[in-house]
């Protein structure tokens, strides 16, 4: 399967590396405004293939995206000193208004996978610009937040994160909702598992894990300037699900929904994803408090989209 990546900075290059190591594609095309950097990234990545999986990696232009099943959008501009969130959004919207039509001109049947932040708003913007079925415009959303939640729960309970089933919903950002009420360890409710293994989940432990998930990006950015390994792996997982038509359930951002209060609004819910994109949206069992928090998160995203005229 051919995959395009537009924007070859830290996130784009980490994603390409993760796809290469995972073997999630047979061909990767890197497109960047800085053609020299894209070519260098492609050459460097190519040298990793003898130690991972055989695939073609090259730099190119938009016309080289022809036939790409998935195009990952990790392009955009960085925030300037003193710049407001809305000003940054407006500049990134301007970038996407140029990039999205250029991609679709050569890859009209592709699935667009948005990685740039703020991912929920930019996913909604992309859907409006592209005028594609919402099932084919997907944001990485809270897939990484969900992975962080599962990892921290697994560490505390001393079990593999692969055995932890728990979700983070809503905005990929400060208003995201950690769903504790339906979390479980291979079918055993999380609090029952904790009691049976004498690892009680107190309010203090919940607060520590919540902070570990919600503030992770801030700590990583403070320490090394950017977060990219985790999201790179997450995006390669999404590509895998599309390539193999898995019908996997992942927490992704999309405006695809038959739930009236979330229709047309991009936020993360559990989505069934395969070769044609998203085929269904699910609503997990939520406590009243969690449902209220999810609606609040949706309201924050709706207000931000309205500010931009979307």
């Amino acid at each position: 399967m051919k995959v395009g990546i537009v924007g070859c900075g830290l996130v784009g290059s980490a994603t390409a590396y993760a796809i290469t190591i995972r073997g999630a594609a047979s061909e990767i095309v890197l497109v960047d405004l800085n053609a020299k950097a894209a070519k260098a990234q492609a050459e460097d990545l190519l040298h990793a293939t003898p130690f991972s999986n055989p695939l073609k990696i090259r730099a190119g232009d938009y016309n080289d995206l022809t036939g790409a099943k998935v195009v990952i959008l990790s392009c955009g501009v960085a925030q300037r000193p003193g710049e407001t969130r809305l000003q940054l959004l407006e500049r990134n919207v301007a970038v996407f208004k140029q990039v999205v039509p250029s991609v679709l001109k050569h890859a009209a049947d592709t699935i667009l996978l948005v990685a740039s932040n703020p991912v929920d708003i930019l996913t909604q913007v992309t859907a409006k610009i592209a005028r594609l079925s919402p099932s084919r415009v997907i944001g990485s959303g809270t897939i990484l937040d969900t992975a962080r939640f599962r990892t921290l729960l697994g560490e505390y309970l001393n079990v593999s994160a692969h055995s932890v089933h728990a979700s983070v919903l809503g905005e990929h950002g400060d208003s995201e909702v950690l769903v504790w009420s339906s979390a479980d360890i291979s079918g055993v409710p999380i609090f029952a598992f904790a009691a049976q293994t004498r690892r009680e989940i107190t309010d203090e432990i919940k607060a520590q894990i919540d902070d570990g998930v919600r503030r992770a990006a801030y700590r990583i950015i403070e320490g090394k300037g950017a977060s990219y390994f985790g999201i790179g792996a997450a995006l390669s997982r999404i590509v895998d699900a599309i390539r193999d038509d898995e019908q996997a359930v992942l927490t992704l951002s999309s405006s695809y929904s038959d739930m009236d209060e979330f229709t047309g609004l991009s936020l993360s819910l559990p989505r069934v994803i395969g070769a044609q994109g998203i085929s269904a949206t699910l609503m997990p069992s939520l406590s009243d408090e969690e449902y209220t928090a999810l609606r609040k998160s949706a309201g924050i995203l709706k207000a931000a989209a309205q500010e931009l005229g979307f």
Side-chain angles (χ1 to χ4, degrees):
M1 183 178 78
K2 183 176 180 178
V3 173
I5 299 177
V6 180
C8 302
L10 291 171
V11 170
S13 58
T15 300
Y17 181 69
I19 291 172
T20 300
I21 296 300
R22 194 182 186 99
S26 58
E27 181 179 358
I28 301 173
V29 177
L30 302 179
V31 178
D32 196 278
L33 194 61
N34 185 339
K36 186 176 181 180
K39 187 175 180 180
Q41 294 283 23
E43 184 175 0
D44 196 11
L45 285 162
L46 187 64
H47 300 158
T49 58
F51 309 105
S52 55
N53 294 277
L55 72 162
K56 298 177 182 178
I57 305 173
R58 60 193 173 97
D61 209 334
Y62 289 109
N63 61 294
D64 295 298
L65 297 176
T66 300
K69 178 67 175 178
V70 181
V71 174
I72 298 168
L73 304 177
S74 55
C75 47
V77 295
Q79 193 163 8
R80 295 168 175 166
E83 186 174 40
T84 67
R85 181 173 178 269
L86 182 58
Q87 288 170 332
L88 174 63
L89 263 172
E90 288 172 341
R91 291 200 298 129
N92 271 324
V93 167
V95 171
F96 272 62
K97 283 181 176 178
Q98 291 182 332
V99 168
V100 173
S102 298
V103 169
L104 294 178
K105 180 179 179 180
H106 301 283
D109 297 325
T110 196
I111 293 171
L112 295 174
L113 178 52
V114 181
S116 303
N117 279 318
V119 69
D120 300 294
I121 301 301
L122 288 177
T123 300
Q124 188 165 339
V125 167
T126 299
K128 293 287 186 180
I129 296 170
R131 297 181 181 179
L132 299 176
S133 165
S135 64
R136 289 172 51 202
V137 182
I138 304 164
S140 55
T142 58
I143 186 173
L144 179 55
D145 308 277
T146 291
R148 289 166 174 161
F149 190 23
R150 293 178 179 180
T151 298
L152 293 178
L153 282 172
E155 283 190 341
Y156 178 72
L157 295 170
N158 197 30
V159 295
S160 167
H162 290 275
S163 297
V164 180
H165 303 279
S167 298
V168 178
L169 309 180
E171 177 196 17
H172 171 56
D174 293 342
S175 72
E176 64 191 24
V177 181
L178 279 66
V179 181
W180 289 89
S181 61
S182 57
D184 68 69
I185 308 292
S186 295
V188 180
I190 198 84
F191 295 104
F193 183 95
Q196 291 176 41
T197 56
R198 298 179 182 178
R199 300 285 293 174
E200 184 182 1
I201 300 176
T202 62
D203 288 343
E204 182 181 359
I205 294 299
K206 285 182 67 176
Q208 288 175 2
I209 291 175
D210 184 286
D211 181 77
V213 174
R214 199 179 303 275
R215 305 292 298 176
Y218 293 102
R219 284 188 294 271
I220 293 169
I221 291 169
E222 182 181 0
K224 66 173 191 172
S227 168
Y228 41 90
F229 291 136
I231 189 59
L235 290 163
S236 74
R237 173 68 186 96
I238 299 168
V239 170
D240 238 359
I242 294 170
R243 181 198 62 186
D244 295 338
D245 195 20
E246 282 187 37
Q247 305 304 311
V249 179
L250 303 172
T251 52
L252 301 171
S253 187
S254 172
S255 57
Y256 181 98
S257 175
D258 55 5
M259 302 172 194
D260 291 342
E261 63 185 311
F262 301 133
T263 298
L265 178 66
S266 289
L267 80 169
S268 284
L269 292 168
R271 316 275 184 177
V272 180
I273 183 170
Q276 304 307 312
I278 293 171
S279 60
T281 296
L282 310 173
M283 176 60 78
S285 176
L286 302 176
S287 68
D288 290 343
E289 182 181 3
E290 290 164 348
Y291 188 68
T292 297
L294 180 59
R295 292 185 65 184
K296 181 179 178 181
S297 185
I300 290 170
L301 290 170
K302 184 175 182 179
Q306 287 175 341
E307 280 189 278
L308 286 171
F310 287 91

